Amino acid sequence: MDPSRSRDVEKSSLCNCVVNFLLEENYILTAFELLQELVEDGRNHLAIRLKDYFADESLFPPDQIARLNVIRVADPQSLQEEKESLGKKLAISDYELRLCQEDVSRLKLELQKKIEEGSNDSTGSSTKISGIVGLDRQLSKTEKSFNLGSLKDIERRDLNCAVKEYLLLAGYKLTAMSFYEEVTNQNLDVWPKSAACVSDALRHYYYQYLSSTDDAAEEKLTLILERDLLLKENKGLTSEQHSLQKSRDLSDEVLTRLEKALESTKKDLKERDMLVQTLKQTLELQRMELNDCRSEITSLKMYIEGLRVGQTWTGGDTEPLHTDNYKEETISLPMEVKSLKEENVSTSSSSISNLINEEKENGKKIGGINEDKKSNSNESFPRVSNNGENGDMIVTATGKTYKDSSNGNTIIEKYGSALQESGLSNDEKIVVQSSINRRGYIASDKMGFETIQILSEALPKIVPYVLINHREELVPLIMCAIEHHPDSTVRDSLTHTLFNLIKRPDEKQRRIIMDACVTLAKNVGEMRTETELLPQCWEQINHNYEERRLLVAQSCGELAEFVHPEIRDSLILSILQQLVEDSATVVRVASARNLALLLPLFPNFDKYFKVEDLLFQLLCDPSGSVVETTLKELIPSIVKWGDKLDNILRVLHSHILSFAQRCQPLSEVVDTVDHHLRVLGDQERWNINVLLRMLTRLLPFVYENAIKTCPFTSSELPVLPLVNSEPSKSFFSTTVLELYTKGHIEWPAFDWMHVECFPLLIQLSCLLPTKEDNLRYQIAKFLLDVSAFYGDDYLTQVMLPVFLLASGDDADLAKLPSSTQPRINDLRPKTVLAERLAIKCVLPLLLVGIMGVSGRHEQLGEYLRKLLLQKTMREGSWSTYHTADLIDAIRFLSMQQEHHGMILNILWEMVVSSNLDLKIFAANLLKVLVSYIDEKVASTHILPALVTLGSDQNMDVKYASIDAFGSVVQYFKNDMMIDKIRIQMDAFLEDGCHEATIAVVRALTVAVPHTIDRLREYLLSKIYQLTSFLTMENDVARHRESVNVFYEAIRALDATDLPTTSVREFLLPTVQNLLKEGDVLNPTQKEALEVIIKERSAKLETMGKAKGGHLGIASSMTTFFGESGIRVKKERGGDTMELDVSVSPRAFISSREVATPKIEDTSFRKIIRGNFGSMFKRQTEEK
């Protein structure tokens, strides 16, 4: 066999192995690249399977492939890149071709040498050929297939590395690159050392496979399978061990349950013994009833005897009494008593058996029966009771009349007279009378029970058919049935009906239901409230309707008073804890409100930290109503109940800082101001704002605690405060502060404010960027509240020195104890970076929160003058101070309208100053203040000041006012103000300075979306004039800057609704002028300008067609700069003027200049441009 043939067979086998591996592992992109390279190399016989695979329409639908082919659009850049890559690939192919040719020539020489050798070499070659033939035979023979299973991770890793190595050695570099991209979970450049890690691994695997016999491979596979089987068995034994362990645990649990069952059985036996005792007592009661029956018989006999005696005395005509009959009745009485006794004995025995059966069903009835029997047996003397309107009276021992509760009939005093005449003893009379009373009670109770039974059965059937708005009228009936029915099952059903009386009750209906529940809880006691009412709470805690969950939350707060104390901080608190996480806002609000009601009822403080966690969870709630309820109701309740204000303040301190510090810095550049500032997310901003509001809510408690813990006696204090009244500003007076400074006495509650709280606020403010004005204002508001509580002396002697030091200024700490002075001194900035942070972040708090107190405007004005004027003059150069940071601090002060007059007065002093840096600073500050003032102030103060600065002789001062003019145009639309600004802008543009032109265009571009149409048209006309002379500029940098500025202005103007005339005469020519600067514009800018021309031209063409030919408008804007030009029609009042616009842009410009009248240089214009500032300066000097 030819050696080259054997090599081809080997390569084909290896290639087929690689193809199978790529398709099995789903490396589709790598397989596709391999297909391309095989086809390019002319090895079509190796790519047959790949072609069939990618030609399968079920895997690769033709419509999807066609859609993907359309996606890519060839552009010159991509074609150039492909050309370069093909050139590189061609060079590589040429190099590989030369290598192959060299290998072929070298192999030919070696083959020639071997042929020339003797018979030994021929023998060896024949052996080699026979080996190759055997190899061919080995390939052709039928292989014995074994189920190897799925690839393991280690096998896949080794095969990936081997395939990568094969692709590189075989020259399929693009395929190897695709293989790199598809194998994402492995680094193919690193092959861990193992038995499979060898050079040219895939060939070694192939030779190893061919050289191994079927028996050896099968034996090895068997060993592998046995090992896997043993591993599985090991896992099974381990899982079986775990299951046995679980079974053992379950057995232990069953044993524990059996022990508990045994204990409960013993307990049941004890209860049965108690039941026997109870039944014995019941038997005694039956015996007493028997005695009562005997006494009743005796009383009846006496009554009969009395009647007979009365008949004997009343009528003389009456027949005499038959003594024989009387004797017979007397003889029969003992027999009747005996029979009654037997009946009672049998009745008692049957009642005992019935009671035993009833006890098995419901053991709770026995207690009620016993109490009723005891109450009946203990009534030795009858009582008189009045039962409402019927006035039912119980007969007394004196024989007074009473009304029977069953029929309302009045019984005459015959029983009393009969008893008096019967001759019985007093004890016997009392027993007879009590028997008569008991009979009346039994009849009444029997009839009341029947009424409750009928009501309980009827209510569940009646409620569904009553209108929802009238169901509250059934509440008294339901309450009565729940309260008096003896069956707990029926009571539970009725309680459920009460809670679910209305499916989605409103606030008024919930109030009715809750009032009914509270009344029931008062009447039925703690035990029934816990076992009957509270279960309704946790049954509906996950109800779909938020109104029902809201009812649960309300019941937790209002029913807690009527349960045992240990239930309040366990079950009820857990219900509220779950409702705090409810999805409905109203439920969370009710949970916070009812938690505040529940806290005073807790028996101890064991659950304090759990309640504190709930407090901060509610404070971080995203709903504002939940937060408001927590701040107003829950916080005061927790502070009063727990009395751990120090702990709350400490947790609050850590939470405020953690929310800010965990945010990303504004800049990653170290040792910069932005690196110390944090970018707050919405959640962090909300949480910090809420916690600052919480700190304000806690301020009265902090103030009260400081007064309560005052270490001085009443004789040392000048005035004793009223702690529960309004804040006593005279308490922390100079006298108290001097006593504290000189006394060397610890006063932690007083020190907390300036030692802990103020440094916290300063540290927090140094983390807030400029845009977080709301949080900074919240801090300033807290400082104002502190000064309102603690008084002016505390503000002057404590607060002001602390914040002066923190802002980098000097301060006197003499009124503070020596123990706290080092901590206050640590707030002073020690580096240049810290000074910038202090001015940027702490100075606004000093100006607004400390010096911004009402009544201290003069002090604030003096400090601002010192800060802006005197300090600048003393230092001699404004650049040494932090201008931008100071402007931001004054901007924050200007957010308060009451400070505008003071700030504007100081600004005017800066405007008329001779210091150029002060004037430039004033211009920058005026630009910032424009957004915080009204139109009147802007017209009377801001605009005159800007005109003065714009008319200054110094160019830097003049051009510094341009941005401020742009801000005025942006925020105000007054026609007079706009006209003045246009005149001033014309003056800037007439100077011809490049910087001034760029500044004017930029300032007006910013105002384009907010200003009026007149100013937009003014800006557009100026840009048209300026773009007409762009090619005359020589400075490339300035030229590029001008083009970019004009481009941005055109984009801003194109986004507005411009008149058709302005579009035709200014916008489109300006865009054409900019497109001429193709070398300066980037492709994106060119495309945007072309889109503007296309859209605007199409719109004008559409409008021209719609108006008709009688208007003289060209039907197509494509001839705007055509050879024949267009005829532009202008309408001014009733006159019509047609202009013939030629081809040349310069001619068009000249025609525009001719048609546009020149603005007259009037006296008013001269005043505005030149003498306006000097006029105001003279007025200031005269004042």
Side-chain angles (χ1 to χ4, degrees):
M1 184 176 180
D2 192 9
S4 61
R5 164 111 179 132
S6 64
R7 281 198 299 271
D8 292 340
V9 171
E10 177 186 339
K11 291 182 179 179
S12 300
S13 301
L14 290 177
C15 186
N16 290 329
C17 292
V18 172
V19 169
N20 293 335
F21 174 75
L22 294 177
L23 295 180
E24 288 176 0
E25 294 299 316
N26 203 23
Y27 295 139
I28 304 301
L29 181 61
T30 307
F32 186 74
E33 290 290 346
L34 181 60
L35 171 63
Q36 298 296 326
E37 292 200 271
L38 289 174
V39 171
E40 290 175 359
D41 292 346
R43 301 178 182 180
N44 294 322
H45 63 285
L46 298 179
I48 294 174
R49 185 179 178 187
L50 290 174
K51 288 181 179 179
D52 295 339
Y53 179 80
F54 287 105
D56 190 355
E57 294 184 357
S58 62
L59 297 176
F60 305 97
D63 56 347
Q64 185 177 0
I65 295 175
R67 187 167 59 253
L68 294 175
N69 290 332
V70 176
I71 292 176
R72 184 179 177 185
V73 178
D75 55 340
Q77 186 175 358
S78 60
L79 292 175
Q80 182 66 25
E81 291 176 355
E82 290 179 0
K83 182 179 179 182
E84 292 176 0
S85 62
L86 290 175
K88 292 179 181 179
K89 187 174 180 181
L90 181 61
I92 294 172
S93 301
D94 293 336
Y95 173 74
E96 290 176 350
L97 179 61
R98 289 197 302 273
L99 292 179
C100 292
Q101 291 174 353
E102 292 175 0
D103 292 337
V104 168
S105 60
R106 179 174 54 80
L107 288 174
K108 286 182 178 179
L109 291 175
E110 290 178 358
L111 181 60
Q112 187 69 27
K113 289 181 181 179
K114 288 182 180 180
I115 291 174
E116 292 174 358
E117 289 177 357
S119 60
N120 293 330
D121 294 333
S122 63
T123 304
S125 63
S126 62
T127 304
K128 186 174 182 180
I129 292 172
S130 64
I132 293 174
V133 171
L135 183 146
D136 219 348
R137 234 179 246 149
Q138 184 76 10
L139 289 174
S140 62
K141 73 176 182 178
T142 304
E143 296 180 354
K144 201 173 186 181
S145 61
F146 303 104
N147 186 13
L148 298 177
S150 60
L151 279 177
K152 300 181 178 60
D153 293 338
I154 299 176
E155 296 173 353
R156 182 177 287 103
R157 181 193 64 193
D158 293 335
L159 287 176
N160 286 340
C161 294
V163 169
K164 183 264 300 184
E165 184 183 25
Y166 166 77
L167 292 175
L168 292 176
L169 293 176
Y172 304 134
K173 296 184 179 181
L174 293 177
T175 306
M177 292 172 62
S178 300
F179 191 62
Y180 266 98
E181 295 177 358
E182 277 199 287
V183 180
T184 58
N185 56 355
Q186 179 184 349
N187 186 5
L188 296 177
D189 294 329
V190 179
W191 193 351
K193 291 185 179 180
S194 63
C197 180
V198 295
S199 59
D200 203 358
L202 201 60
R203 292 182 64 191
H204 281 81
Y205 299 163
Y206 180 69
Y207 288 146
Q208 184 68 25
Y209 171 73
L210 293 178
S211 62
S212 64
T213 62
D214 294 342
D215 296 335
E218 186 176 1
E219 183 179 359
K220 185 174 182 180
L221 180 62
T222 304
L223 291 175
I224 293 173
L225 294 175
E226 287 180 357
R227 187 189 66 177
D228 294 339
L229 182 62
L230 290 175
L231 290 175
K232 291 181 180 178
E233 289 180 357
N234 188 13
K235 291 182 180 178
L237 291 174
T238 305
S239 61
E240 185 177 356
Q241 182 181 3
H242 288 307
S243 63
L244 291 174
Q245 184 67 29
K246 291 181 180 178
S247 302
R248 180 181 176 184
D249 296 338
L250 291 174
S251 301
D252 293 339
E253 291 180 0
V254 172
L255 182 61
T256 306
R257 291 176 183 173
L258 291 175
E259 291 177 353
K260 292 182 179 179
L262 181 61
E263 293 178 358
S264 64
T265 305
K266 292 180 180 178
K267 189 175 181 181
D268 291 340
L269 290 176
K270 291 182 181 179
E271 292 178 354
R272 294 294 173 86
D273 294 338
M274 295 175 63
L275 178 60
V276 172
Q277 297 295 330
T278 304
L279 295 176
K280 288 181 180 179
Q281 294 177 2
T282 306
L283 182 59
E284 292 295 331
L285 293 175
Q286 293 292 335
R287 288 177 181 174
M288 292 178 64
E289 263 190 53
L290 180 59
N291 294 331
D292 294 338
C293 292
R294 290 175 181 172
S295 62
E296 187 176 355
I297 292 171
T298 304
S299 63
L300 291 174
K301 289 179 179 179
M302 296 296 297
Y303 172 68
I304 294 170
E305 185 66 26
L307 289 177
R308 289 176 179 175
V309 172
Q311 289 178 0
T312 304
W313 287 96
T314 53
D317 298 334
T318 58
E319 296 180 358
L321 296 172
H322 300 282
T323 56
D324 297 335
N325 295 333
Y326 175 71
K327 289 179 180 180
E328 291 176 0
E329 290 179 1
T330 306
I331 292 170
S332 63
L333 279 174
M335 298 176 65
E336 186 177 350
V337 170
K338 184 176 181 181
S339 63
L340 288 173
K341 183 176 180 180
E342 291 175 356
E343 289 178 1
N344 284 326
V345 169
S346 61
T347 304
S348 63
S349 61
S350 62
S351 64
I352 289 172
S353 61
N354 292 333
L355 284 171
I356 291 173
N357 294 329
E358 291 178 0
E359 178 63 28
K360 290 180 179 180
E361 296 177 358
N362 190 359
K364 296 183 180 179
K365 295 182 181 179
I366 297 301
I369 295 173
N370 292 336
E371 290 177 0
D372 293 338
K373 296 298 181 182
K374 289 180 182 179
S375 63
N376 292 332
S377 63
N378 291 333
E379 283 187 357
S380 300
F381 297 94
R383 295 175 292 125
V384 180
S385 62
N386 189 354
N387 295 328
E389 297 177 356
N390 296 330
D392 299 337
M393 302 299 294
I394 303 302
V395 68
T396 62
T398 59
K400 300 288 183 180
T401 62
Y402 78 99
K403 184 182 286 187
D404 194 351
S405 62
S406 61
N407 53 17
N409 297 325
T410 304
I411 300 177
I412 314 299
E413 293 180 343
K414 54 186 178 180
Y415 288 108
S417 61
L419 286 174
Q420 295 296 332
E421 296 174 359
S422 63
L424 296 175
S425 62
N426 292 331
D427 294 337
E428 291 174 347
K429 291 178 181 179
I430 291 171
V431 171
V432 172
Q433 187 65 56
S434 62
S435 176
I436 295 171
N437 295 340
R438 190 178 299 110
R439 291 290 178 179
Y441 283 135
I442 291 172
S444 176
D445 291 343
K446 183 177 180 181
M447 187 172 185
F449 174 74
E450 292 176 354
T451 304
I452 295 297
Q453 187 72 26
I454 294 171
L455 183 63
S456 302
E457 293 176 356
L459 278 173
K461 302 175 183 178
I462 295 173
V463 169
Y465 298 99
V466 179
L467 293 176
I468 293 178
N469 294 333
H470 295 281
R471 287 184 183 177
E472 59 264 19
E473 298 175 3
L474 298 175
V475 170
L477 296 177
I478 299 175
M479 291 173 57
C480 181
I482 294 173
E483 184 176 352
H484 296 96
H485 201 285
D487 192 352
S488 61
T489 306
V490 177
R491 291 199 304 268
D492 289 340
S493 177
L494 292 173
T495 307
H496 182 76
T497 303
L498 177 61
F499 263 81
N500 296 273
L501 190 62
I502 301 172
K503 184 182 292 185
R504 305 186 73 169
D506 55 20
E507 185 176 357
K508 181 180 178 182
Q509 293 166 342
R510 286 196 303 271
R511 186 71 268 159
I512 293 172
I513 296 174
M514 283 313 307
D515 290 341
C517 293
V518 171
T519 305
L520 270 177
K522 290 179 181 177
N523 295 337
V524 302
E526 294 179 347
M527 184 60 69
R528 283 183 58 182
T529 302
E530 296 171 4
T531 57
E532 296 177 13
L533 290 178
L534 283 185
Q536 299 298 328
C537 294
W538 62 70
E539 283 179 3
Q540 301 192 21
I541 195 171
N542 294 319
H543 201 279
N544 292 333
Y545 295 141
E546 62 182 33
E547 290 84 359
R548 308 225 55 79
R549 303 196 300 272
L550 186 58
L551 193 62
V552 174
Q554 290 179 350
S555 63
C556 289
E558 299 188 21
L559 295 181
E561 183 181 354
F562 308 102
V563 299
H564 289 93
E566 57 270 14
I567 299 294
R568 298 167 188 165
D569 60 353
S570 58
L571 175 63
I572 298 179
L573 181 60
S574 64
I575 294 174
L576 284 177
Q577 187 178 6
Q578 184 172 347
L579 291 175
V580 163
E581 301 174 355
D582 196 273
S583 59
T585 301
V586 291
V587 178
R588 300 198 300 272
V589 171
S591 303
R593 182 175 292 112
N594 286 275
L595 180 59
L597 297 176
L598 181 65
L599 291 179
L601 303 176
F602 280 3
N604 50 49
F605 303 104
D606 294 342
K607 299 299 177 71
Y608 172 79
F609 292 103
K610 187 175 183 180
V611 172
E612 191 177 84
D613 293 339
L614 287 177
L615 168 66
F616 284 98
Q617 181 179 348
L618 288 168
L619 285 171
C620 296
D621 193 275
S623 173
S625 56
V626 177
V627 172
E628 286 295 332
T629 304
T630 305
L631 292 174
K632 292 181 180 179
E633 300 182 23
L634 185 56
I635 287 179
S637 179
I638 290 180
V639 173
K640 292 177 183 177
W641 164 68
D643 196 20
K644 293 185 178 181
L645 181 62
D646 296 340
N647 189 74
I648 293 177
L649 293 173
R650 183 167 56 255
V651 176
L652 178 62
H653 183 288
S654 63
H655 277 31
I656 290 177
L657 282 183
S658 64
F659 281 129
Q661 290 174 346
R662 70 187 183 188
C663 296
Q664 294 295 326
L666 196 61
S667 173
E668 297 296 337
V669 181
V670 187
D671 295 334
T672 59
V673 173
D674 291 342
H675 183 70
H676 290 78
L677 305 178
R678 295 292 186 266
V679 181
L680 300 183
D682 294 336
Q683 186 64 40
E684 287 78 13
R685 184 182 299 108
W686 170 261
N687 291 339
I688 294 174
N689 184 34
V690 171
L691 293 178
L692 289 175
R693 291 169 60 192
M694 176 185 176
L695 184 61
T696 305
R697 287 282 179 180
L698 292 174
L699 181 57
F701 300 101
V702 174
Y703 174 74
E704 181 180 344
N705 188 35
I707 294 177
K708 283 183 179 180
T709 58
C710 180
F712 306 117
T713 61
S714 57
S715 59
E716 296 175 318
L717 297 175
V719 178
L720 287 177
L722 297 174
V723 176
N724 295 326
S725 64
E726 294 296 326
S728 177
K729 296 185 179 181
S730 61
F731 183 80
F732 294 104
S733 60
T734 305
T735 306
V736 175
L737 295 176
E738 289 178 353
L739 286 174
Y740 180 51
T741 305
K742 298 176 182 178
H744 302 287
I745 301 174
E746 293 185 358
W747 195 356
F750 174 72
D751 288 339
W752 178 85
M753 184 61 69
H754 51 270
V755 175
E756 299 289 342
C757 183
F758 291 163
L760 163 69
L761 298 178
I762 292 170
Q763 186 177 359
L764 174 63
S765 65
C766 291
L767 297 174
L768 301 178
T770 305
K771 67 176 184 178
E772 302 296 342
D773 286 334
N774 290 332
L775 295 180
R776 191 169 284 108
Y777 180 71
Q778 195 69 33
I779 299 173
K781 185 179 177 182
F782 172 76
L783 295 175
L784 293 174
D785 292 340
V786 172
S787 63
F789 271 92
Y790 282 71
D792 293 336
D793 294 332
Y794 183 83
L795 172 66
T796 305
Q797 302 180 24
V798 179
M799 296 179 68
L800 184 59
V802 169
F803 280 88
L804 280 174
L805 277 177
S807 63
D809 213 333
D810 297 329
D812 183 15
L813 302 178
K815 298 297 181 181
L816 292 175
S818 57
S819 58
T820 61
Q821 288 183 9
R823 298 191 62 179
I824 303 300
N825 281 319
D826 289 340
L827 299 176
R828 185 192 297 273
K830 299 177 176 60
T831 62
V832 177
L833 183 62
E835 288 180 2
R836 287 200 60 189
L837 273 175
I839 296 173
K840 189 179 188 66
C841 303
V842 184
L843 184 59
L845 300 181
L846 174 64
L847 297 178
V848 179
I850 307 300
M851 296 183 177
V853 178
S854 59
R856 289 182 172 266
H857 294 291
E858 295 182 359
Q859 182 181 1
L860 177 60
E862 293 176 359
Y863 184 77
L864 275 180
R865 282 189 177 85
K866 173 187 174 184
L867 193 65
L868 299 177
L869 300 175
Q870 298 176 9
K871 190 168 185 177
T872 305
M873 298 298 184
R874 184 174 67 251
E875 294 182 0
S877 176
W878 189 257
S879 60
T880 58
Y881 212 67
H882 310 291
T883 308
D885 302 331
L886 190 58
I887 289 176
D888 189 64
I890 299 174
R891 177 197 62 82
F892 184 72
L893 178 64
S894 66
M895 293 172 64
Q896 311 299 318
Q897 189 174 1
E898 59 268 19
H899 303 309
H900 286 173
M902 175 191 62
I903 296 174
L904 291 174
N905 291 333
I906 297 175
L907 273 175
W908 186 252
E909 295 180 16
M910 299 171 68
V911 168
V912 299
S913 173
S914 59
N915 191 311
L916 298 179
D917 292 330
L918 273 181
K919 292 183 179 182
I920 296 174
F921 179 79
N924 296 328
L925 190 55
L926 285 170
K927 174 188 174 183
V928 174
L929 296 180
V930 168
S931 58
Y932 299 99
I933 60 176
D934 55 12
E935 185 175 320
K936 183 179 178 181
V937 176
S939 177
T940 57
H941 292 80
I942 299 294
L943 195 56
L946 288 177
V947 171
T948 304
L949 293 174
S951 304
D952 197 89
Q953 300 298 323
N954 186 273
M955 293 297 177
D956 294 334
V957 176
K958 180 188 295 187
Y959 298 153
S961 64
I962 295 177
D963 290 338
F965 279 113
S967 297
V968 175
V969 174
Q970 182 178 356
Y971 289 100
F972 303 106
K973 300 179 180 180
N974 184 278
D975 291 337
M976 184 179 295
M977 296 174 65
I978 295 295
D979 291 338
K980 293 180 181 179
I981 293 173
R982 287 178 58 187
I983 294 172
Q984 191 65 43
M985 292 300 180
D986 286 336
F988 292 141
L989 293 175
E990 287 176 2
D991 292 342
C993 179
H994 172 78
E995 289 77 9
T997 303
I998 297 299
V1000 168
V1001 175
R1002 282 177 175 168
L1004 296 181
T1005 300
V1006 174
V1008 162
H1010 312 283
T1011 189
I1012 61 178
D1013 294 337
R1014 288 174 55 196
L1015 192 67
R1016 293 183 188 132
E1017 296 175 8
Y1018 168 78
L1019 176 61
L1020 184 57
S1021 64
K1022 293 299 179 183
I1023 294 176
Y1024 168 69
Q1025 295 176 9
L1026 293 171
T1027 54
S1028 300
F1029 304 100
L1030 278 175
T1031 55
M1032 297 182 181
E1033 296 185 8
N1034 297 323
D1035 193 338
V1036 178
R1038 288 190 173 189
H1039 184 64
R1040 182 177 289 107
E1041 183 181 11
S1042 300
V1043 171
N1044 290 332
V1045 170
F1046 296 151
Y1047 166 77
E1048 295 296 336
I1050 290 298
R1051 289 292 304 274
L1053 289 167
D1054 181 61
T1056 61
D1057 189 11
L1058 294 173
T1060 305
T1061 306
S1062 298
V1063 173
R1064 184 187 304 114
E1065 297 179 0
F1066 297 114
L1067 181 63
L1068 293 176
T1070 304
V1071 174
Q1072 291 287 354
N1073 292 337
L1074 288 176
L1075 286 174
K1076 295 176 182 178
E1077 308 298 328
D1079 298 335
V1080 180
L1081 295 172
N1082 57 46
T1084 305
Q1085 292 175 335
K1086 289 181 182 178
E1087 184 179 358
L1089 292 175
E1090 290 172 356
V1091 169
I1092 292 174
I1093 288 182
K1094 182 178 179 181
E1095 292 179 352
R1096 291 289 185 174
S1097 300
K1099 187 175 180 181
L1100 287 177
E1101 184 178 357
T1102 304
M1103 292 176 63
K1105 289 180 180 179
K1107 289 181 179 180
H1110 65 281
L1111 295 178
I1113 300 177
S1115 60
S1116 176
M1117 288 300 295
T1118 55
T1119 61
F1120 192 88
F1121 289 108
E1123 295 179 357
S1124 61
I1126 65 172
R1127 298 180 66 82
V1128 181
K1129 182 175 181 180
K1130 291 187 176 182
E1131 294 183 7
R1132 295 181 180 176
D1135 300 332
T1136 302
M1137 178 180 64
E1138 294 185 356
L1139 298 177
D1140 188 8
V1141 183
S1142 61
V1143 179
S1144 175
R1146 294 189 177 277
F1148 186 84
I1149 296 168
S1150 61
S1151 65
R1152 285 291 302 154
E1153 292 176 351
V1154 171
T1156 304
K1158 187 178 180 181
I1159 300 174
E1160 295 182 1
D1161 198 3
T1162 60
S1163 58
F1164 178 75
R1165 178 177 172 86
K1166 291 180 180 179
I1167 292 175
I1168 292 297
R1169 293 182 56 189
N1171 300 326
F1172 198 85
S1174 59
M1175 181 176 66
F1176 277 95
K1177 184 174 180 181
R1178 286 196 301 272
Q1179 290 179 358
T1180 305
E1181 291 174 354
E1182 289 173 2
K1183 291 181 180 180

